[in-house]
Amino acid sequence: MARNIQSLERAAAMLRLLAGGERRLGLSDIASSLGLAKGTAHGILRTLQHEGFVEQDDASGRYQLGAELLRLGTTYLDVHELRARALVWTDDLARSSGESVHLGVLHQQGVLIVHHVFRPDDSRQVLEIGAMQPLHSTALGKVLSAYDPVAHSEALEAERRAYTDRTVCEPDGFEHILDITRARGYAADVEETWEGIASIAAPIHDRRRMPVGAVGITGAVERLGRDGELRPEMVAAVRDCARAVSRDLGAGRF
């Protein structure tokens, strides 16, 4: 059995201690409460302060929780709300399209899959929640890159690997694809990431009309396309789903 990392356990205990109090705590209070030497407690606090998880009051020298924890907590709540609001609509999209549905958000220069609805047939499938997809080649990634300035910057900074001979890696070509994505309101990936596989995705906006994620379908090229083009009814179904989730998040009509 793997052993826990003591320093991380102590840091977590320190954050819980600060979260449970109604006032700022001094170094001596924190050290004695956790049974730590002052030097050890100070080293952990200094690291947490550097990362923004803890703040120190200049006047008293006492410590309190930092703004970075609030940001992380807000991000968690945003993703949790996004997934909760999308559950019914993504189930409906899987049924109407006959394809698997993915809900993705920006995470560490990629797309993190936070919800996955299986294709409604008896085929063997693998749950992909927690999987990462590239920004530059997938439909989900292109949508995020087109509508989210942070995702756009990260896509340009990241290594844009050629997964197939159809993958667009050059900056100018990638920017052109993003222009097309914004103009038509959805993105496509036709064998740019996986041979024989296509996907369609559209953006999801919140009450501030900010892009918070993307939803898309993925399936065999011959099912999503017809005569060399994506089937219009598939595109419409994905866009309708994205609009419905956006409305539930308070974005109004798009």
Side-chain angles (χ1 to χ4, degrees), residues 24-225:
R24 300 183 180 98
L25 296 176
L27 174 60
S28 296
D29 299 323
I30 295 170
S32 61
S33 295
L34 299 178
L36 299 174
K38 281 189 179 180
T40 301
H42 184 256
I44 296 172
L45 284 167
R46 188 169 53 196
T47 300
L48 291 173
Q49 185 179 359
H50 176 73
E51 296 298 328
F53 297 135
V54 164
E55 295 174 356
Q56 186 178 27
D57 181 67
D58 292 334
S60 66
R62 292 176 176 270
Y63 295 91
Q64 64 183 15
L65 294 179
E68 182 65 11
L69 281 175
L70 176 62
R71 187 190 70 81
L72 292 176
T74 302
T75 299
Y76 169 77
L77 291 174
D78 285 348
V79 171
H80 182 73
E81 183 182 9
L82 171 62
R83 186 178 181 276
R85 298 286 186 178
L87 289 177
V88 172
W89 300 111
T90 50
D91 282 349
D92 286 347
L93 178 58
R95 281 193 294 269
S96 65
S97 68
E99 302 296 344
S100 61
V101 177
H102 296 89
L103 185 69
V105 298
L106 175 66
H107 181 68
Q108 295 180 350
Q109 294 190 326
V111 182
L112 174 66
I113 303 302
V114 297
H115 185 53
H116 175 200
V117 183
F118 282 164
R119 185 171 61 254
D121 59 22
D122 295 328
S123 63
R124 186 167 178 251
Q125 300 173 64
V126 177
L127 188 64
E128 295 180 26
I129 294 175
M132 293 290 293
Q133 293 186 4
L135 286 169
H136 70 287
S137 64
T138 62
L140 292 171
K142 292 176 192 176
V143 161
L144 293 175
S145 300
Y147 288 90
D148 185 340
V150 176
H152 181 221
S153 297
E154 295 197 355
L156 291 177
E157 292 171 4
E159 178 188 1
R160 292 183 298 280
R161 172 184 164 192
Y163 294 97
T164 73
D165 58 7
R166 293 173 177 260
T167 309
V168 176
C169 301
E170 299 77 14
D172 289 346
F174 181 61
E175 291 287 7
H176 180 62
I177 288 174
L178 299 188
D179 288 340
I180 294 173
T181 298
R182 285 185 286 265
R184 64 189 184 183
Y186 71 92
D189 164 11
V190 181
E191 297 188 281
E192 293 177 50
T193 311
W194 302 282
E195 296 283 355
I197 300 297
S199 59
I200 304 166
I204 295 172
H205 297 81
D206 66 6
R207 62 185 61 85
R208 299 161 297 177
R209 290 185 173 263
M210 296 295 291
V212 292
V215 64
I217 58 174
T218 301
V221 172
E222 58 269 21
R223 293 200 304 269
L224 267 64

